[in-house]
Amino acid sequence: TREASNVLVPLAYDGTRVAQQALDVPAGGVRSVVVAAPPQRRGVIAASVELENDAIDRDNVRYAGITVPQRARVAIIGTGTAARLAQMALSVPGLEGSLPQATILDGLRALGANMRGYDVVMLVDAQVNSSDVALLHQFVQQGGGLVVFADDDASIKDVLRPYGLSVGDVVSTPAVKPWTITGVVRTHPLFAGVFKGSTDDRGVAESPKLTRLRPASGGLPLMKTGAGAFVSEGTSQGGRVIYVASSPRSDWGGLGATGIFPMLAVRGTLYASMPRDAGIEAMIGERI
């Protein structure tokens, strides 16, 4: 019923104040405020937001638990330019603290017993045999992430079949009539904060010109072209699976020369390494 001036709203991590905002609230009014601060460490952080100088002190604090994961560990399986491009996308100078840690390996056998030492496996022009397919499936079922870029190898069909993705043959179009991205599911976590403007399912301004594609049917199409799905998410009870129906190699078109490629490499890896743990939000006294 009375005006409140210069009310402090502090934010604390692990009991230490890290940021605060001041606001004025008119009598009978409502105000919103954003208080933000980067985390100081990785792991589980106890966060709290407080309202100071209120008439009733007992309800002035709200608590939250935030998990800041360790850097994702990625094994890039492949050789040649495509694998090196993927490693470059995951190794941007100045972002070493947040980007995944990427290692290039010639084949899955190089992982050996160290498969558990990685969070995500990325296949980029990789040669995969039947025993590798079984190894990958075990890795995903145990919660590992899998990101696959298309290639000419027939084994890619066996790699992705367990996740509801049916990969067809490579289709081509003349360079003068390339395919472009015609739709994006912008509300999907993979693209959160990537595109400005509306959340409508439409094309993107910086679409690569694609002359070869290997689309997959099934799963959840996240990016579309005139020839079929460009990016798809597979279904799995374990880890997450992302498939890109093109290669960053220049003979497949312009994917490797546009910002779409590092976005897919970095965010695809981060999304594939996200845990599936559910969170609960509740007030004190509520049954959960």
Side-chain angles (χ1 to χ4, degrees):
T1 58
R2 60 182 177 82
E3 180 181 348
S5 300
N6 200 34
V7 178
L8 288 181
V9 183
L11 169 68
Y13 293 155
D14 296 325
T16 300
R17 186 172 297 188
V18 292
Q20 67 180 23
Q21 291 282 10
L23 70 160
D24 298 329
V25 186
V30 176
R31 287 289 182 268
S32 298
V33 63
V34 176
V35 192
Q40 304 302 310
R41 63 177 180 84
R42 297 180 183 275
V44 179
I45 296 175
S48 63
V49 180
E50 186 174 356
L51 181 67
E52 293 191 348
N53 302 321
D54 191 11
I56 304 174
D57 292 331
R58 291 175 62 88
D59 65 346
N60 286 4
V61 185
R62 293 291 182 268
Y63 300 94
I66 302 169
T67 300
V68 181
Q70 301 296 326
R71 290 177 63 190
R73 300 158 298 175
V74 187
I76 301 174
I77 309 298
T79 57
T81 303
R84 292 196 297 272
L85 279 172
Q87 186 183 40
M88 288 175 59
L90 295 169
S91 307
V92 179
L95 296 178
E96 295 87 351
S98 56
L99 289 178
Q101 304 175 68
T103 303
I104 292 182
L105 301 173
D106 291 340
L108 282 164
R109 280 175 292 182
L111 288 177
N114 195 35
M115 183 72 86
R116 293 181 179 272
Y118 293 91
D119 303 297
V120 178
V121 171
M122 180 183 292
L123 302 184
V124 190
D125 270 357
Q127 299 297 314
V128 179
N129 57 38
S130 57
S131 60
D132 293 336
V133 171
L135 190 64
L136 277 173
H137 186 59
Q138 180 183 4
F139 174 72
V140 174
Q141 292 303 101
Q142 292 175 350
L146 178 62
V147 178
V148 181
F149 285 87
D151 57 42
D152 294 297
D153 193 27
S155 64
I156 196 171
K157 297 182 179 181
D158 298 325
V159 169
L160 294 170
R161 187 178 296 114
Y163 315 111
L165 294 171
S166 179
V167 179
D169 296 326
V170 177
V171 293
S172 303
T173 187
V176 294
K177 293 183 178 180
W179 291 299
T180 58
I181 297 171
T182 58
V184 181
V185 182
R186 298 173 185 239
T187 55
H188 190 276
L190 183 64
F191 307 120
V194 172
F195 302 108
K196 292 182 179 179
S198 70
T199 59
D200 296 339
D201 183 2
R202 53 190 175 84
V204 297
E206 193 197 2
S207 173
K209 293 179 171 56
L210 307 164
T211 55
R212 300 183 77 212
L213 283 173
R214 199 170 186 183
S217 58
L220 176 64
L222 303 179
M223 274 186 165
K224 295 176 286 187
T225 70
F230 177 61
V231 179
S232 304
E233 180 176 4
T235 56
S236 170
Q237 298 300 316
R240 301 176 188 271
V241 178
I242 294 293
Y243 173 61
V244 182
S246 182
S247 168
R249 286 183 3 218
S250 59
D251 58 322
W252 285 67
L255 174 61
T258 65
I260 294 293
F261 172 66
M263 182 274 289
L264 290 174
V266 173
R267 296 187 65 91
T269 299
L270 293 175
Y271 178 70
S273 63
M274 285 173 55
R276 293 182 178 273
D277 299 339
I280 297 175
E281 181 176 333
M283 296 291 292
I284 293 174
E286 289 184 18
R287 296 179 62 84
I288 59 174

